[in-house]
Amino acid sequence: MLLRGRDTELAMLNTALADVGEGRGSAFVLVGGVGCGRTSVLDALDAPGFRVLRATGSAAERDLGLAGLHQLGLPVAATSDDFSFCATVFDNVRAAADARPLLVLVDDADQLDRPSLRALAFTARRVAALPVVVVFAVHDPPDALAGITRVPLPPLAPPAAASLLKDRVGRDPGEDLLADLVDLGSGVPLALVELAEALTPAQLAGQAAPPTAPPADGRFRAAVAARLGALGPDARRFVLLAALDGDGAGPATLDLATAVRVAEAAGLDLAALDEARRCGLVRVEDDEVDVPGRALRASLRAEASVADRRLAHQLVVQALDPEHDRFRWTWHRAALAAGPAPKLADELLAVADSARAAGDNLAAAAAYRRSAALAREPDDRAGRLLAAATQAWLGGRPRHARVLVREVLPLTTAPHARGLADLLLGGLALRDRTPALAVETLLAAAERLRSRKHAATALVLAGEASCLAGDSERYFAIAERAERFATADDPPYVHAAVDHFRGMAATFRGRHADAIPPLRRVLRTAAGLDEPTLKVWASQAAYTLGDAELARDLAVAAVRTAGNRGMAALLPWALVYVAMAELLLDRHSCALGSAEQGVRTATALGQPNSVADHLSILALEAALRGDRDTATGRLDAALHDVASRGLGRPGALASWASACVDLVDEHPEDAMNRLRTMASGAGGVHPGIRVMAAPQYIEAAVQCGRRGTAAKALHVFDDWAGATGSTARLALSARCHALLAANPADAEERYRAAIDLHRASGTALELAKTELFYAHHLRRERRPKLARDQLRDALRIFQRYDATHWARRALTELRATGEAAPQATRTTPVTVKDLTPQQAEIVRLVAEGATNREVAARLFISHRTVDHHLRNIFAKLGVRSRVELVAFLR
């Protein structure tokens, strides 16, 4: 079980064992922290026919010279000549391998006595021509092991950790509990296994709080306690200082300057800090002293006595400057309080407000929570816990926010407090639960909240949840409720919320002219308020009005403002509109970058619904370029959550992308049927996305001979494009009219108009497609020369966009006009800058050492697609292998 996620490392070592049969020996150093599975990897090595010698380092025997060699059965008398001594050990190992291959395993090698470790390392560096494999397992490789191949055992990635937990529990423990355990387990296999085994029925049923530390009677805690106990008193003090100064939700980690001041004030030996680092309980990086991983931090805190914890807090308080480090000074003083302390609670409240204003949301959340714990009145405690939950959510800690809200509910029945709790829970559910359920919670919040701004936000989020669910009728009902909600003396923010509903509801009903005035008012209001949420609404308004540049700029402003204020939770939502605006502008590389950033950010923040949004946009981007394999891979990655959570908007985008793939595969009937139904959730067809996908629907219908159907769809699209005046959409409209034109002259006029509009809007890829369709029309009209001019330009664009399918079609048309395929004429050297954005990202990952399968997983594409891209990259750059590629990059 502890080998979960260690397949790559185990395969590397087993390959080395197999190579012994060909006369090649080797040596490795397995590097990993407490509970990472080092011993399990050693136990799992497949070594039939090998003689196995094994030793385990121990702090109790570290000062006993030659104790390690004695365990291996290789006792050697110590000599004053180090070289002679090490050479004798080497000769003994070589002799031991005469009869059959030899495997030497040294666990906890950093605890081995120095003479044994030095001699074994000397031997390991000289076994290349012997039937010998030596494997050391350590936390912090000592200098003696320099020059030996290191094999890191990093923490398990969250998916592997979740899989391990599910296997150990025997069933799915539920989203919240699973996420808490993954976070607490910190990717440490032993901690994860023991957490799973210690779960109570009440915890599994959601009736009790999840664990806050690995079990006290487990091997992980025992290993931590043993390492802590083996340290000297000053080193233990440093470990505890690091464990208490930041608990994963509180102040920043212990900085080295503070550690030095504490050492000077308390008379601690600074050399002990290095002792603490070597044992693996702390790490010192970038002038910070930190405990790696929540599992280890929680275990250290649990193992420390109350007296030791209080002394550590007192030492930090004495070392800090109250003026320059007010937050942490107040925080550690508060930690010393044994009961309610209203004055100290108010000090922490002021500190939390300052942290919130500075955009340090997680620090603010920790301070609000501690202030709540020290407050005497239940209403004060409830208000501060709600503030803590809000800051935790904005800071990207949704699970922590839910825990805090659960603490609020027993404290108050006040409607406004309950409304704030519902607003938080509904906002959380919008990003990581079934959006249809989020609607109910948010509407309840809007009913209870006294703040007009908060109530308006709840209504807009409920509308967003309805859109995400694809429930148009529910959206219209909420929009009508917003109309009744508005009053003349509402602040601009509230008016913008209501105008947003008016404009989007009119758009979804196809009344595009009615949508324009309220949406323009949203834009004017957003220009005067620096609110990231309002900027996102305005971006959606600008997109609907056809101003893609403004939509992109507003969404980027929302990303920037949210980032500056530490409002990480809003970033994936804003990035959706950045990516969609870039697609409308035909800037595929920018759309690709924004959506990939959205996937990474949403994954890190625990927002699976936002992940599905971005994956569907990535699929659409690939499908519009004609890259069926990439589009299909991304759709496969998104569709489980789309189906299980009832995500209508990404479902509709996925239908659009799938229809584009159908057209690539020359299945227009399938594309047409898919776009006609475009099932997207409770409300069936998503009206906004359906009209955006009209050009592909019309193309499919024309190919199927359904010209009347195509004409009806074009009428709807024309209403939208004409009302908004978007040059990019008018270009698509002109192309569709050309496809439907009854006579050649009318078609040619429409194609030329479309080409002019594409050029005016800068939509190069759609320009190339129009030129391709126009060239096909010209060839049928027996005008091959003019067709060739169109095709040459289209081919250049398709190649620049890495639109392989469309480039093949252009080449086929060129040949049909009587022209041979153009030959490459480039004379300047090709560089990485000449690669497409996706190719450049693949090159970057390969250069970092990622395998093809790892690249595929990171980019949500198939393994076969990675192979295809690498072949093209090799051809472009003139290299023949991954090794040559890495060398080329240097």
Side-chain angles (χ1 to χ4, degrees):
M1 186 66 69
L2 296 182
L3 289 172
R4 179 64 59 86
R6 304 301 186 207
D7 296 345
T8 302
E9 295 85 356
L10 196 54
M12 176 189 295
L13 297 176
N14 283 330
T15 298
L17 292 171
D19 287 345
V20 166
E22 299 179 12
R24 293 196 300 272
S26 52
F28 303 92
V29 181
L30 280 179
V31 184
V34 178
C36 70
R38 296 189 313 256
T39 302
S40 296
V41 171
L42 297 183
D43 292 341
L45 291 176
D46 185 17
F50 278 73
R51 179 185 177 189
V52 180
L53 304 181
R54 187 161 185 164
T56 300
S58 166
E61 296 186 358
R62 191 172 185 177
D63 295 329
L64 296 178
L66 310 186
L69 292 173
H70 185 270
Q71 285 190 66
L72 293 171
L74 296 170
V76 180
T79 69
S80 58
D81 183 351
D82 279 352
F83 178 79
S84 297
F85 171 69
C86 292
T88 301
V89 173
F90 172 76
D91 289 339
N92 286 348
V93 168
R94 180 170 54 188
D98 281 346
R100 54 181 172 150
L102 182 65
L103 173 60
V104 181
L105 303 176
V106 186
D107 205 355
D108 290 332
D110 41 348
Q111 299 294 316
L112 213 61
D113 65 280
R114 185 173 177 79
S116 294
L117 180 61
R118 192 167 61 250
L120 288 170
F122 176 92
T123 299
R125 285 189 286 266
R126 289 163 174 79
V127 298
L130 300 178
V132 176
V133 174
V134 184
V135 185
F136 301 93
V138 300
H139 162 72
D140 184 36
D143 293 341
L145 297 178
I148 302 173
T149 301
R150 294 188 182 184
V151 181
L153 294 177
L156 299 182
S163 179
L164 175 59
L165 286 164
K166 289 178 183 178
D167 283 352
R168 203 64 179 176
V169 172
R171 61 184 178 87
D172 188 341
E175 287 186 29
D176 276 348
L177 179 57
L178 183 63
D180 282 330
L181 294 175
V182 168
D183 185 40
L184 176 57
S186 311
V188 180
L190 180 58
L192 290 162
V193 166
E194 293 186 338
L195 282 166
E197 291 174 342
L199 289 173
T200 66
Q203 287 172 328
L204 284 167
Q207 298 170 346
T212 57
D217 57 352
R219 288 190 293 145
F220 181 79
R221 284 274 290 274
V224 172
R227 284 183 177 265
L228 188 63
L231 295 175
D234 285 2
R236 286 199 300 273
R237 187 77 68 211
F238 277 119
V239 169
L240 190 54
L241 285 169
L244 291 175
D245 198 51
D247 60 5
T253 53
L254 180 68
D255 60 281
L256 194 55
T258 300
V260 170
R261 289 199 299 271
V262 169
E264 290 173 347
L268 303 180
D269 183 0
L270 267 178
L273 181 57
D274 195 50
E275 180 188 353
R277 181 192 61 78
R278 286 196 308 271
C279 82
L281 297 183
V282 300
R283 61 188 173 200
V284 182
E285 295 178 357
D286 299 326
D287 292 330
E288 290 186 342
V289 183
D290 188 22
V291 174
R294 187 180 161 203
L296 182 55
R297 181 183 294 278
S299 297
L300 289 169
R301 291 164 66 90
E303 291 295 323
S305 68
V306 173
D308 283 344
R309 290 201 300 270
R310 288 185 64 81
L311 178 57
H313 286 302
Q314 287 168 352
L315 290 174
V316 177
V317 168
Q318 293 167 8
L320 292 174
D321 184 327
E323 294 298 322
H324 293 93
D325 209 343
R326 182 174 170 232
F327 189 117
R328 291 164 66 228
W329 181 72
T330 308
W331 173 270
H332 284 282
R333 287 171 55 231
L336 292 167
K343 183 178 178 181
L344 193 51
D346 289 344
E347 284 187 55
L348 265 178
L349 181 62
V351 163
D353 289 342
S354 297
R356 176 182 54 77
D360 193 347
N361 298 92
L362 295 183
Y368 280 128
R369 186 179 192 183
R370 185 63 181 150
S371 176
L374 298 178
R376 193 181 302 278
E377 298 300 324
D379 284 346
D380 288 341
R381 292 166 61 196
R384 293 169 194 188
L385 283 171
L386 283 169
T390 301
Q391 295 305 305
W393 171 64
L394 289 173
R397 296 286 299 277
R399 295 183 295 276
H400 187 52
R402 278 197 175 90
V403 170
L404 293 169
V405 172
R406 284 200 295 266
E407 293 179 21
V408 170
L409 298 180
L411 295 174
T412 182
T413 57
H416 183 67
R418 290 289 181 138
L420 286 173
D422 283 339
L423 177 58
L424 272 170
L425 292 173
L428 288 164
L430 173 60
R431 307 301 172 203
D432 65 7
R433 299 293 166 85
T434 302
L437 298 178
V439 173
E440 300 302 328
T441 307
L442 289 163
L443 290 178
E447 195 70 33
R448 290 170 167 162
L449 287 162
R450 290 197 307 266
S451 162
R452 299 289 291 173
K453 179 178 179 180
H454 285 151
T457 300
L459 284 174
V460 175
L461 290 179
E464 167 78 4
S466 296
C467 280
L468 186 59
D471 190 345
S472 302
E473 293 305 316
R474 194 63 186 276
Y475 185 89
F476 296 146
I478 298 170
E480 290 171 4
R481 181 170 172 174
E483 284 282 1
R484 297 192 299 272
F485 172 82
T487 63
D489 57 352
D490 274 328
Y493 181 95
V494 175
H495 283 297
V498 176
D499 278 333
H500 184 269
F501 268 118
R502 288 173 180 144
M504 297 311 300
T507 297
F508 291 159
R509 287 188 165 113
R511 300 204 301 262
H512 303 296
D514 294 342
I516 292 173
L519 292 179
R520 286 182 175 160
R521 288 196 297 271
V522 172
L523 295 179
R524 287 195 294 272
T525 304
L529 295 176
D530 193 22
E531 287 273 1
T533 299
L534 181 53
K535 297 290 187 191
V536 175
W537 302 346
S539 174
Q540 188 178 6
Y543 184 92
T544 304
L545 291 170
D547 192 339
E549 290 277 4
L550 180 58
R552 191 273 316 280
D553 291 346
L554 285 164
V556 168
V559 170
R560 182 178 60 253
T561 305
N564 290 341
R565 296 184 184 178
M567 305 166 89
L570 300 183
L571 295 176
W573 181 39
L575 284 166
V576 166
Y577 294 99
V578 177
M580 288 299 293
E582 296 288 11
L583 270 187
L584 179 57
L585 290 165
D586 226 6
R587 297 171 183 169
H588 282 247
S589 60
C590 295
L592 183 68
S594 298
E596 286 180 344
Q597 182 186 350
V599 169
R600 290 191 296 270
T601 306
T603 300
L605 296 175
Q607 297 186 12
N609 294 351
S610 296
V611 172
D613 255 335
H614 284 287
L615 283 173
S616 62
I617 293 170
L618 284 169
L620 179 61
E621 184 278 329
L624 289 170
R625 284 188 294 105
D627 186 348
R628 71 177 309 281
D629 289 340
T630 298
T632 301
R634 289 168 175 166
L635 288 169
D636 289 344
L639 286 179
H640 171 73
D641 278 341
V642 168
S644 64
R645 299 172 186 275
L647 305 181
R649 183 174 59 216
L653 287 169
S655 294
W656 185 3
S658 297
C660 292
V661 170
D662 290 333
L663 289 170
V664 167
D665 289 340
E666 299 182 0
H667 297 150
E669 190 75 38
D670 292 341
M672 185 179 167
N673 289 333
R674 199 186 299 274
L675 291 172
R676 184 173 59 243
T677 54
M678 198 177 272
S680 66
V685 175
H686 191 292
I689 296 172
R690 183 175 186 177
V691 72
M692 287 191 286
Q696 285 75 31
Y697 181 75
I698 293 161
E699 181 185 338
V702 168
Q703 290 183 35
C704 293
R706 305 281 293 276
R707 303 179 70 82
T709 300
K712 290 179 182 177
L714 181 54
H715 179 71
V716 174
F717 186 76
D718 277 348
D719 281 349
W720 184 38
T724 64
S726 165
T727 311
R729 290 171 185 153
L730 289 170
L732 294 173
S733 169
R735 183 172 80 195
C736 291
H737 277 284
L739 290 172
L740 278 168
N743 63 75
D746 186 24
E748 181 164 351
E749 181 182 349
R750 296 285 193 170
Y751 276 126
R752 287 189 175 279
I755 288 169
D756 289 341
L757 288 165
H758 283 308
R759 286 177 175 151
S761 64
T763 50
L765 185 60
E766 293 303 329
L767 164 64
K769 292 178 186 177
T770 297
E771 288 177 326
L772 176 62
F773 295 158
Y774 181 30
H776 179 72
H777 166 80
L778 290 169
R779 186 172 62 79
R780 286 190 307 172
E781 293 298 310
R782 302 182 185 279
R783 300 169 68 186
K785 184 179 182 303
L786 186 55
R788 284 194 289 270
D789 293 339
Q790 300 296 323
L791 290 166
R792 292 187 195 108
D793 188 48
L795 181 58
R796 284 192 295 270
I797 294 171
F798 290 142
Q799 289 171 336
R800 188 170 75 244
Y801 274 75
D802 196 29
T804 307
H805 161 77
W806 292 103
R808 282 198 300 266
R809 283 187 57 175
L811 283 169
T812 300
E813 283 289 336
L814 263 176
R815 293 189 186 100
T817 65
E819 180 169 309
Q823 299 298 311
T825 58
R826 187 184 183 103
T827 58
T828 56
V830 178
T831 69
V832 174
K833 293 180 180 179
D834 296 303
L835 301 176
T836 67
Q838 181 130 301
Q839 289 174 337
E841 182 67 4
I842 289 171
V843 165
R844 184 184 69 80
L845 293 172
V846 168
E848 291 174 358
T851 65
N852 285 14
R853 292 194 181 280
E854 289 168 342
V855 172
R858 289 277 296 276
L859 299 183
F860 299 97
I861 57 181
S862 70
H863 180 265
R864 183 175 62 178
T865 301
V866 175
D867 291 339
H868 166 75
H869 279 303
L870 275 176
R871 286 194 298 272
N872 288 342
I873 290 166
F874 290 170
K876 272 188 180 182
L877 301 181
V879 300
R880 294 172 295 178
S881 67
R882 296 166 74 94
V883 173
E884 288 188 14
L885 176 61
V886 173
F888 179 90
L889 296 174
R890 292 174 184 159

